[in-house]
Amino acid sequence: MEPVAFASLAHIPVLLVPVGNIRRAVFEKWAADIKTFQSIPLGDVPSDSRDERARFMPSPLASGHLHLSYPSHPPPSTRSSMALFRPADFPLAVVGVASCSQSDALSSISDNFNASLSELFPNGSPFPLASKCFVFEESDTHTNLDVEQRYPRLVIIPGLMGNKTVHIGTLLANLCSSILGEFSVVMQSLESPLGNEYLNATPFPVLPPPSELPKSLSNDGRAHDSLPPLPSHNSQPELTTGTLRTKTPLGLKRSSTGLSPGLLPHRHASLPAPSGKKRQTAIGAASSHGRLFKVLGDLFLLAGRLEDSSVWYTEAIALFNRGQDPLWHASALEGQATISLLEAWASTSATNGAVSDKDPWADIADKLTQATAMYYKTSPSSDSETAYPLQAYLYTQSVLRHSSLLLSIWSGKGWGPLAFTTLLQPGPTPYMPLPNSTPRDAYAELERLTTITGISRTQIAAVVAQAHGPWLLHLGARERIGVLQALAGMYAVLGYPRKEAYILREVLGSVLDLIVCGREESGGRAGGVGLGIRGAAPFGGAANMGTVGVRENESAEGNESVLRIVKHVCGVHGIDLEAVRLLGPEAVAERRARIDKRGDGAVDGDIAEQLDDLAEPMQEPFGWPELQIGIVREAIAVAEALPDYPSVAQFSLSSLKTLHPVMSHSDQHHLYSTAARALATAKRRGDRRTVDYWSGRPIVSIEVLPLPLVRLPLEKPISLLAQGSTSAGPVLGGLRDIFLYNPRKLMSGQAQTVLVQNEAFEVVVTLRNPYVFDLELQSVALCTSGVPVDSHATHLVVPANTFHPVTITGKALEAGILIVRGCVVQAPGGVSREFILPLSTEEEEDRRLRTRSALECEEGRSKRAGLESRPWMNGSKRTSQIAGSSSSKHPLKFLECKVVPEQPLLRIRRTSLTHGAVMLYNGETSTVRITLENVSSLPIDFVRLTFDDSTIAPAQQALADGELSVFETYETEYDLIHRPVFTWDSSREIQEIGPGEKTTLTVSCFGKVGCASGAVNFAYAYVHRRHATLEKPPDVFHTRQLTYPVLVTVYHMLECHAMDILTYSSSTLSTLLGPPDKDEEPAVRARRALLNVDDVEDWCLFSIEVRNMYGLPFEVTFERNQLGVQPASTTTLVPPGSTSRLIMPVKKILLSEEHVSRPIPSLSDRQFVVNKAKLTSTEDKAQRELFWYREELFKAVYGRWRENGGTRSGELSLRQQRMTLPMLEVLRTETARVHMALFHYEDKNPRQVNESSGKFTPPPFEFVYLRTRVTNLSPSELIFTLNLSLHPSRHMIHQGILTDIPIGRLESGASHEVETPVSFVSCGRFDFRADVHAHGLPGDSSHVGRGQLRALVETTT
């Protein structure tokens, strides 16, 4: 709709119409050429030689212009009564545009042109005053141009004509000349007394045809003298006449002829019937000449003669000031304001600012203000209902003219050529906002214009607001839309978007009224027949017969413009109706191709937007929720009324996406159901547009479920095939690392998920539904790259306000790397969209944290007002957005899975256990037979068995904690390595298990106290594969593990404790067994044989107590197996609840110094095992000696048990027994052996004193000799000294020294004897002790031997 120019009162409207079968492009081309002539100099307008038509013709040398405008359509018929009041609103000329070729007949073009005129302007209409049809020849052939006699309205423009534009200008000048001539004819009718009476009869008069004019009320025929003659050429009144204002002596020089038939008004436009309250200027009464002068001013203004027009306007206003004709008075003031503008435009001295204290446009503004007030205050006559719309139209046009004046001066930076051009010819888009990059810059520019011109935006807005009111309801739909459109455009230029949006909402309402009414009028249905199909009649008169529904092909032309206004209005109120994009078929195909071809780390616009959303902090709400929801309802109603069902769905879903936090439950349900219905309807009607996925970011997390343990492949080095099948590393290591601290392992990161080729895997996707309704998803599929995957989409419904996990199954078709980028989600009726989910690496989290911190800092640093605080405006203003976008250029990291080649599958067919349970005694060994079956199509050529039980984990944890002593660590490791619960003979390894074959394995199970459960793990693989290429085989292979759990029950029935090592002497046998007896039992004789040894000095006694805590008796046997000594054993029966002690001689042991100085070893491969106990060197040496001698003892002595009367047997462990230093002294062979005895001499022959049970019985008061023999048992020679101690010494006499008795150097195995005479002077018990020291040994190690002797002195009788 064309905007109304400020100087529209001076424009000659020329209506351009297409004629005939001219193509649209050709018509628009020639119409654009014609519209280039917006003004024609008066000197170019030819004058009419006829005197009666020369009144408004310009003089040959006249300066000035005729201004032309080109409306797109004629005014509505409701304004036909304004033909004399405002002729500038009607097309004064019609120009037809036609094209012809050799085959086209000019007669048909002429007929079509006349038909178009008859259709546009009904018979009897005074307009147009002139009409021509420009026929443009398409071919270059010669055409007869002399057609004026046959077709006077046609003008042929040949194709051979070079400069057609000049010729068109000449034709337009001739057309304007004809219009000016018709002005004279019109004035001849008005200048008659009766014409003037009709002119003053109603507020908006229309002259009837001359034949229907009533006779004059004066019978003397002198009525023509009531109007003085008017000057013919200058048409200016004699200003020197004193009676000008009272009588107006204007004489008529030309006859008052009637109007031509083409200009006669139609019959129905005659005077209305008189009412009760008649005007003072009715027909037949004396009428004022003010209206006649005002019409003269309008016509002279259209003719470009500003001076004449100004004079007549002045005279008319002078008469209106004394009368009651405010509408005509206001129109005359508007004409004067237009003249002032045209004079300023024509003047060459115009400046861009005020040259005096008073603004140059002040007078124009005052006139317009006065005219607006007159229009507003005038009360329409009660006898004319048509006066209300016309008066409302005039009022709004006056307000808009005043507003455009101020707005043009303000936007044109003052009173100058730019403002004049805008006011005179505003063009198709006069209300364009100022081009600025940011709203802040726009505000500064707006305030700058206010400073330059002195006109504030509020001042202009106050004038614009006067046009908005209830009077707009009196306007026709077309006029109302035009006024509202102008108001919205002005508010937009002034920088008031909220007011603009408010007006645009009313524009939409008016447009939608026209759309609905138009469709109801053109698409009505006949009721009572079936579905009400137009024109359908019941077949055969049967009322119950079915009908066929016919849908009309509705035109979508103009829908996009209406929807653009809707989106703009909602955007002003903070509602993003394009939050959900509307995609066409090309965009859908492009989306699918982009998803299919996207690389592993590719980032496009959609992906970058998702990454920015992840870094965005929570946005604050904008706007008034209640108002926003109301506007959303209006937007949806507009889209439904068009109808545009994809837009209905887009608006509903966009509102749900952005406003659901503030929506009620009913609103959410309504919008969701509305969108679903709209999408279904659009699909049914064949609309190929659809919406993008709308529900925000549905994916919360993605997790690839690990394969079941029986299917999980484990990567092994190929070097494992060359290693033995038994290794203590897995048992002892626990963490499978030889180092207690391994920094490389900490840097290794998270391991990849391993999948198997051609085997299904599962991915758990967690979806989020933030709405109050159940969210239906038509398709949820995996988005992967790398190796191809066979995966099917899933249809599901996410419950309201929940996080819902869904499992998606897929199958990798090749070996390699599988990258899970995210998911492709599709809502019902929508388009699939990919949502990625990068890995939350430390770098990515740091980047998001920095971006979020920067955004939060910017939010708190600056404050935005008005529309700048809208969410999408905030994002465009942030400086940190650049950093975020630059960081997104780095390749993203996604969840990666390693797909290994196809693997075989093994299962346990059967076992020898019942219910997978075994019951054992402590130390008992049993066997378990397990049958395996290969259920895959691949052979198995590698099988290894590993075991686990409930005692391993606590022991590994204790070892890992490092709180154990070195001795405890060794015992724990020894128990794990040498006493496992499960064992397998690795020498009988399986060679190959073919597809479908079975094999049986035998596993030994050892009873260990504390073991409650265990597991047998079968690791198997297909190692020696056939490779399709000659590439180097990989360095790794993959195994699968099959686990068979076993429930273990171990009964603790025997317990060893109180181990001791005792000295062995000749009296020991008699003490333990008593004197020999021939009738003694075989067990006693066997025990006597066991204890009978050659030299008791080389032996010691091993003693242990065994307690039976079970309900059955057990035979316990301890065996001795020492090098160089015959094996021996002792057996006893331990009844239930009793304790038995077993004694067995053990030959003393002597370990080298190098052997006992070695540290306590670690049975594992771990390094840097540190003893946390802070021991001195002496204590550390003693600990090592205890450890090594204990190990040698346990190598020589071991126990076993057997169920009494049964077949079950097992071993009895001594590892829980500790060795003490006294036991060590007894077990260890001395370095120097000391033998002490008492002798006395008879005839110089030495004889040993009587000995009984290891005690000597010397006589008292006699000298006996204490003989001490020292033997060097070490492998090297040593120098010895001897110290003797006698107790009690005061009851004994000795000869010689007792300390540091030199022995001398003794070779290995050599002996030396020392005799010391002693005499007992009293009776009693006497103890002798000998200590041997070796020289050259450090510290306490110099004491190398010790001997004792006890004597009992009794009185002889």
Side-chain angles (χ1 to χ4, degrees):
M1 187 173 294
E2 299 88 357
V4 179
F6 176 86
S8 61
L9 298 179
H11 289 176
I12 297 178
V14 179
L15 181 64
L16 303 179
V17 294
V19 178
N21 297 326
I22 186 172
R23 297 189 303 274
R24 184 184 184 91
V26 176
F27 171 76
E28 292 178 351
K29 171 188 175 183
W30 296 119
D33 291 343
I34 295 173
K35 290 179 182 180
T36 56
F37 296 93
Q38 295 183 354
S39 61
I40 297 177
L42 293 179
D44 296 343
V45 178
S47 300
D48 198 332
S49 58
R50 292 171 292 180
D51 184 63
E52 66 275 5
R53 302 179 63 90
R55 183 175 185 178
F56 293 93
M57 295 293 178
S59 61
L61 300 178
S63 62
H65 294 78
L66 290 178
H67 299 281
L68 306 180
S69 64
Y70 301 92
S72 59
H73 50 271
S77 59
T78 55
R79 297 216 310 262
S80 60
S81 58
M82 295 178 59
L84 295 177
F85 182 84
R86 182 159 293 176
D89 285 356
F90 297 86
L92 301 181
V94 174
V95 175
V97 179
S99 63
C100 68
S101 59
Q102 293 180 354
S103 60
D104 295 331
L106 296 179
S107 59
S108 62
I109 296 177
S110 178
D111 295 340
N112 291 332
F113 181 59
N114 293 331
S116 299
L117 291 178
S118 301
E119 181 180 358
L120 294 175
F121 304 96
N123 188 20
S125 174
F127 301 104
L129 301 181
S131 60
K132 286 290 183 180
C133 181
F134 296 168
V135 182
F136 294 90
E137 185 182 13
E138 294 182 355
S139 60
D140 296 337
T141 58
H142 179 72
T143 305
N144 184 16
L145 301 180
D146 189 14
V147 296
E148 186 175 358
Q149 295 180 356
R150 298 177 55 191
Y151 308 106
R153 292 185 177 181
L154 299 187
V155 177
I156 306 298
I157 301 177
L160 295 176
M161 182 176 294
N163 194 351
K164 297 183 177 63
T165 306
V166 176
H167 185 55
I168 291 174
T170 303
L171 294 178
L172 290 177
N174 295 334
L175 185 66
C176 292
S177 177
S178 300
I179 295 172
L180 298 182
E182 293 297 329
F183 285 171
S184 301
V185 177
V186 173
M187 286 306 301
Q188 291 177 8
S189 299
L190 297 178
E191 288 174 346
S192 64
L194 293 181
N196 189 38
E197 294 296 333
Y198 273 94
L199 187 63
N200 290 273
T202 61
F204 302 101
V206 175
L207 289 180
S211 59
E212 298 182 3
L213 286 175
K215 296 181 180 180
S216 177
L217 298 179
S218 57
N219 297 323
D220 56 358
R222 293 180 297 177
H224 295 280
D225 297 336
S226 61
L227 289 177
L230 299 175
S232 61
H233 187 72
N234 55 19
S235 297
Q236 294 183 2
E238 297 295 336
L239 300 181
T240 57
T241 307
T243 60
L244 179 62
R245 304 298 182 190
T246 58
K247 192 174 181 180
T248 315
L250 301 176
L252 293 175
K253 290 189 177 182
R254 49 180 73 88
S255 61
S256 180
T257 60
L259 298 175
S260 63
L263 298 178
L264 293 177
H266 48 277
R267 175 66 180 171
H268 71 275
S270 60
L271 291 176
S275 59
K277 182 179 178 181
K278 298 183 179 179
R279 288 175 48 89
Q280 296 292 333
T281 58
I283 297 177
S287 300
S288 173
H289 299 156
R291 293 189 178 187
L292 180 63
F293 297 160
K294 187 263 180 187
V295 173
L296 281 172
D298 291 340
L299 298 181
F300 278 115
L301 180 60
L302 291 172
R305 297 170 60 174
L306 303 182
E307 295 181 359
D308 296 341
S309 177
S310 178
V311 170
W312 291 112
Y313 277 139
T314 303
E315 293 297 325
I317 291 173
L319 296 177
F320 289 146
N321 287 331
R322 296 180 294 174
Q324 298 295 328
D325 207 351
L327 295 180
W328 289 75
H329 188 182
S331 180
L333 292 175
E334 290 183 285
Q336 284 189 334
T338 305
I339 292 174
S340 301
L341 172 65
L342 295 176
E343 291 176 348
W345 175 74
S347 175
T348 58
S349 61
T351 60
N352 287 342
V355 296
S356 62
D357 295 339
K358 188 177 181 181
D359 294 328
W361 62 86
D363 291 338
I364 302 177
D366 292 341
K367 290 183 175 64
L368 295 177
T369 302
Q370 186 179 359
T372 302
M374 290 181 178
Y375 284 132
Y376 183 77
K377 295 179 180 180
T378 302
S379 298
S381 59
S382 60
D383 56 348
S384 177
E385 296 180 357
T386 60
Y388 285 98
L390 297 179
Q391 183 175 342
Y393 171 77
L394 294 174
Y395 169 75
T396 54
Q397 292 298 314
S398 177
V399 174
L400 293 180
R401 185 170 282 107
H402 189 185
S403 302
S404 62
L405 171 69
L406 299 179
L407 185 64
S408 299
I409 298 173
W410 176 80
S411 61
K413 300 180 181 179
W415 185 253
L418 183 59
F420 300 155
T421 303
T422 305
L423 292 171
L424 189 61
Q425 295 290 346
T429 55
Y431 310 120
M432 292 296 293
L434 299 177
N436 287 284
S437 58
T438 61
R440 192 177 302 274
D441 297 338
Y443 178 79
E445 181 65 22
L446 296 177
E447 294 301 318
R448 178 172 173 268
L449 293 177
T450 300
T451 305
I452 293 174
T453 60
I455 302 175
S456 64
R457 293 188 296 158
T458 56
Q459 179 182 352
I460 303 175
V463 177
V464 174
Q466 298 177 13
H468 187 265
W471 45 84
L472 294 178
L473 299 176
H474 294 286
L475 297 179
R478 180 170 172 268
E479 289 84 358
R480 183 166 60 252
I481 293 174
V483 172
L484 293 175
Q485 177 184 355
L487 295 180
M490 291 182 181
Y491 281 133
V493 175
L494 293 174
Y496 294 144
R498 287 191 176 93
K499 293 184 178 181
E500 175 199 6
Y502 180 78
I503 299 299
L504 287 178
R505 291 173 64 185
E506 298 191 15
V507 173
L508 291 174
S510 301
V511 172
L512 263 295
D513 289 341
L514 291 179
I515 293 176
V516 172
C517 294
R519 288 175 179 171
E520 288 180 353
E521 293 175 1
S522 61
R525 298 288 188 263
V529 181
L531 297 176
I533 305 303
R534 178 192 309 173
F539 180 76
N544 56 354
M545 296 299 293
T547 58
V548 178
V550 179
R551 180 178 64 86
E552 293 184 352
N553 187 14
E554 297 173 346
S555 175
E557 185 179 0
N559 288 3
E560 185 63 29
S561 301
V562 175
L563 295 178
R564 192 182 303 118
I565 297 175
V566 172
K567 296 174 184 178
H568 175 72
V569 171
C570 293
V572 170
H573 291 85
I575 308 169
D576 186 9
L577 290 184
E578 293 183 331
V580 178
R581 286 173 287 187
L582 194 62
L583 304 177
E586 296 81 6
V588 174
E590 182 183 358
R591 168 78 62 83
R592 293 174 180 172
R594 186 170 65 249
I595 293 176
D596 295 338
K597 297 181 180 180
R598 183 167 292 157
D600 297 344
V603 178
D604 58 4
D606 190 14
I607 301 303
E609 179 183 353
Q610 296 186 38
L611 296 178
D612 294 339
D613 292 341
L614 292 176
E616 284 284 342
M618 185 64 67
Q619 294 180 351
E620 296 182 358
F622 174 84
W624 189 0
E626 290 78 3
L627 178 61
Q628 290 175 333
I629 295 175
I631 294 176
V632 167
R633 293 194 185 100
E634 293 180 5
I636 296 174
V638 169
E640 288 178 340
L642 289 178
D644 192 329
Y645 293 103
S647 297
V648 172
Q650 181 188 24
F651 294 171
S652 301
L653 298 178
S654 297
S655 304
L656 266 178
K657 180 178 180 181
T658 56
L659 299 178
H660 72 272
V662 297
M663 281 187 179
S664 63
H665 293 186
S666 59
D667 288 338
Q668 292 191 34
H669 282 285
H670 173 70
L671 291 178
Y672 184 66
S673 60
T674 300
R677 289 194 305 270
L679 290 175
T681 305
K683 182 178 181 181
R684 187 170 61 250
R685 293 194 169 196
D687 197 328
R688 302 181 62 186
R689 294 177 299 163
T690 184
V691 294
D692 200 357
Y693 183 81
W694 58 273
S695 181
R697 185 178 180 83
I699 301 177
V700 178
S701 65
I702 297 179
E703 178 185 5
V704 179
L705 293 182
L707 296 176
L709 293 179
V710 295
R711 294 180 176 269
L712 180 64
L714 304 176
E715 185 177 301
K716 303 292 182 181
I718 203 70
S719 60
L720 183 65
L721 300 177
Q723 299 179 1
S725 59
T726 59
S727 177
V731 179
L732 293 176
L735 300 177
R736 301 179 183 271
D737 196 350
I738 63 174
F739 294 96
L740 292 179
Y741 172 74
N742 190 351
R744 291 185 178 89
K745 190 171 184 180
L746 299 177
M747 300 171 60
S748 61
Q750 187 177 4
Q752 289 182 341
T753 303
V754 180
L755 306 177
V756 182
Q757 178 185 355
N758 292 330
E759 291 191 13
F761 63 91
E762 294 182 344
V763 179
V764 176
V765 180
T766 303
L767 303 174
R768 175 176 177 264
N769 179 13
Y771 306 101
V772 299
F773 50 82
D774 294 342
L775 179 62
E776 180 183 2
L777 297 180
Q778 180 178 343
S779 171
V780 178
L782 290 178
C783 180
T784 62
S785 59
V787 299
V789 175
D790 182 13
S791 177
H792 300 285
T794 303
H795 177 275
L796 72 151
V797 176
V798 183
N801 289 320
T802 58
F803 291 88
H804 181 69
V806 59
T807 301
I808 302 177
T809 305
K811 181 189 295 184
L813 303 180
E814 297 178 4
I817 300 297
L818 173 64
I819 300 175
V820 182
R821 297 173 56 90
C823 286
V824 178
V825 184
Q826 180 182 6
V831 181
S832 300
R833 182 179 181 184
E834 177 190 8
F835 290 93
I836 66 168
L837 193 65
L839 283 179
S840 296
T841 59
E842 294 184 1
E843 296 80 2
E844 188 68 18
E845 289 296 332
D846 291 342
R847 185 190 69 82
R848 294 178 186 174
L849 181 60
R850 289 194 301 268
T851 304
R852 188 177 294 108
S853 300
L855 295 178
E856 291 176 354
C857 181
E858 291 183 9
E859 288 292 338
R861 184 187 308 167
S862 60
K863 185 176 182 180
R864 297 177 176 88
L867 300 183
E868 291 187 36
S869 59
R870 289 179 292 181
W872 56 86
M873 297 295 294
N874 291 342
S876 62
K877 302 302 177 186
R878 290 170 178 152
T879 57
S880 60
Q881 195 79 8
I882 301 176
S885 60
S886 62
S887 62
S888 63
K889 297 179 181 178
H890 300 286
L892 301 175
K893 294 183 179 180
F894 298 97
L895 182 62
E896 294 185 0
C897 301
K898 182 178 181 181
V899 182
V900 301
E902 192 173 359
Q903 299 294 319
L905 186 61
L906 199 64
R907 74 167 181 171
I908 298 176
R909 184 70 176 181
R910 58 182 173 268
T911 65
S912 61
L913 296 180
T914 302
H915 304 297
V918 60
M919 292 181 290
L920 301 171
Y921 289 127
N922 185 19
E924 183 184 5
T925 301
S926 177
T927 58
V928 179
R929 292 182 300 276
I930 304 175
T931 301
L932 304 177
E933 181 182 4
N934 184 2
V935 296
S936 65
S937 61
L938 298 178
I940 299 174
D941 56 5
F942 173 82
V943 177
R944 289 286 174 86
L945 269 67
T946 57
F947 310 97
D948 190 14
D949 60 82
S950 58
T951 63
I952 294 179
Q956 289 178 345
Q957 185 62 39
L959 292 174
D961 293 342
E963 299 296 333
L964 302 178
S965 64
V966 178
F967 180 79
E968 293 172 342
T969 301
Y970 178 84
E971 287 299 325
T972 304
E973 294 175 347
Y974 184 93
D975 187 71
L976 290 174
I977 295 175
H978 298 286
R979 301 181 71 245
V981 175
F982 298 100
T983 55
W984 172 56
D985 187 4
S986 60
S987 61
R988 303 174 60 184
E989 293 185 0
I990 303 173
Q991 298 298 327
E992 183 175 342
I993 306 176
E997 295 183 358
K998 304 180 184 66
T999 187
T1000 302
L1001 302 179
T1002 301
V1003 178
S1004 299
C1005 183
F1006 176 76
K1008 182 189 293 187
V1009 175
C1011 180
S1013 62
V1016 182
N1017 302 317
F1018 302 90
Y1020 59 94
Y1022 180 33
V1023 179
H1024 303 91
R1025 299 172 179 263
R1026 292 183 179 181
H1027 299 280
T1029 62
L1030 298 178
E1031 296 181 358
K1032 181 181 177 181
D1035 296 334
V1036 296
F1037 69 99
H1038 295 85
T1039 64
R1040 275 181 168 170
Q1041 182 169 307
L1042 182 63
T1043 302
Y1044 177 65
V1046 179
L1047 181 63
V1048 181
T1049 303
V1050 180
Y1051 300 102
H1052 189 197
M1053 72 292 184
L1054 297 176
E1055 183 179 27
C1056 297
H1057 63 94
M1059 184 188 75
D1060 197 3
I1061 306 295
L1062 305 174
T1063 58
Y1064 198 11
S1065 62
S1066 58
S1067 62
T1068 304
L1069 183 61
S1070 60
T1071 302
L1072 295 176
L1073 300 178
D1077 187 3
K1078 61 179 181 179
D1079 297 331
E1080 59 187 4
E1081 297 179 357
V1084 177
R1085 286 197 301 269
R1087 188 179 304 173
R1088 190 182 299 277
L1090 176 65
L1091 296 176
N1092 190 11
V1093 295
D1094 297 335
D1095 188 2
V1096 296
E1097 296 293 338
D1098 293 335
W1099 293 81
C1100 62
L1101 291 178
F1102 170 79
S1103 173
I1104 189 72
E1105 291 184 358
V1106 179
R1107 181 171 55 195
N1108 186 355
M1109 299 178 296
Y1110 200 63
L1112 296 176
F1114 291 92
E1115 292 182 1
V1116 177
T1117 300
F1118 276 90
E1119 297 181 359
R1120 183 197 66 205
N1121 190 1
Q1122 287 182 288
L1123 184 64
V1125 181
Q1126 290 294 330
S1129 63
T1130 178
T1131 303
T1132 184
L1133 180 64
V1134 183
S1138 64
T1139 301
S1140 299
R1141 186 174 183 85
L1142 287 83
I1143 298 176
M1144 184 174 59
V1146 176
K1147 192 173 184 179
K1148 292 184 179 181
I1149 304 170
L1150 179 62
L1151 301 177
S1152 65
E1153 186 67 26
E1154 180 183 359
H1155 187 99
V1156 298
S1157 62
R1158 290 184 300 174
I1160 298 175
S1162 174
L1163 298 181
S1164 66
D1165 295 332
R1166 298 186 305 160
Q1167 301 179 7
F1168 312 113
V1169 179
V1170 181
N1171 186 8
K1172 293 189 176 182
K1174 297 181 180 180
L1175 304 177
T1176 63
S1177 59
T1178 304
E1179 293 174 342
D1180 184 61
K1181 180 181 179 182
Q1183 185 184 47
R1184 294 180 182 181
E1185 289 180 352
L1186 288 172
F1187 173 79
W1188 290 114
Y1189 277 97
R1190 178 175 176 269
E1191 291 299 311
E1192 290 297 324
L1193 175 64
F1194 290 162
K1195 290 179 182 179
V1197 179
Y1198 54 89
R1200 52 186 174 85
W1201 58 265
R1202 177 180 294 275
E1203 188 179 14
N1204 189 25
T1207 59
R1208 302 176 68 176
S1209 62
E1211 66 177 47
L1212 193 61
S1213 177
L1214 296 174
R1215 301 302 303 184
Q1216 290 80 19
Q1217 307 304 312
R1218 294 297 184 93
M1219 179 177 285
T1220 61
L1221 286 176
M1223 295 168 61
L1224 174 63
E1225 294 295 336
V1226 176
L1227 179 64
R1228 181 174 55 187
T1229 302
E1230 306 93 334
T1231 303
R1233 178 173 294 174
V1234 180
H1235 182 268
M1236 301 178 70
L1238 292 177
F1239 291 84
H1240 62 85
Y1241 285 88
E1242 293 180 359
D1243 297 334
K1244 298 183 180 180
N1245 293 321
R1247 179 177 294 179
Q1248 184 175 340
V1249 177
N1250 295 331
E1251 180 183 5
S1252 176
S1253 301
K1255 302 178 181 66
F1256 291 88
T1257 57
F1261 307 109
E1262 293 182 5
F1263 272 98
V1264 294
Y1265 294 90
L1266 174 63
R1267 180 180 293 178
T1268 305
R1269 185 173 65 248
V1270 178
T1271 304
N1272 184 8
L1273 300 180
S1274 67
S1276 59
E1277 64 177 17
L1278 294 174
I1279 299 175
F1280 299 100
T1281 60
L1282 177 63
N1283 294 331
L1284 297 176
S1285 61
L1286 309 177
H1287 183 74
S1289 60
R1290 61 183 179 176
H1291 298 288
M1292 167 184 323
I1293 300 173
H1294 66 87
Q1295 182 181 358
I1297 61 175
L1298 297 179
T1299 60
D1300 295 332
I1301 302 173
I1303 301 300
R1305 186 185 302 276
L1306 296 179
E1307 298 291 336
S1308 176
S1311 301
H1312 180 76
E1313 293 183 352
V1314 176
E1315 291 186 356
T1316 303
V1318 295
S1319 175
F1320 302 98
V1321 296
S1322 67
C1323 297
R1325 187 182 69 182
F1326 295 88
D1327 293 326
F1328 298 88
R1329 179 178 176 180
D1331 294 316
V1332 180
H1333 295 270
H1335 289 271
L1337 298 180
D1340 296 337
S1341 61
S1342 62
H1343 185 270
V1344 296
R1346 178 181 301 166
Q1348 292 182 351
L1349 184 146
R1350 176 168 291 178
L1352 296 177
V1353 180
E1354 297 178 355
T1355 303
T1356 59
T1357 56

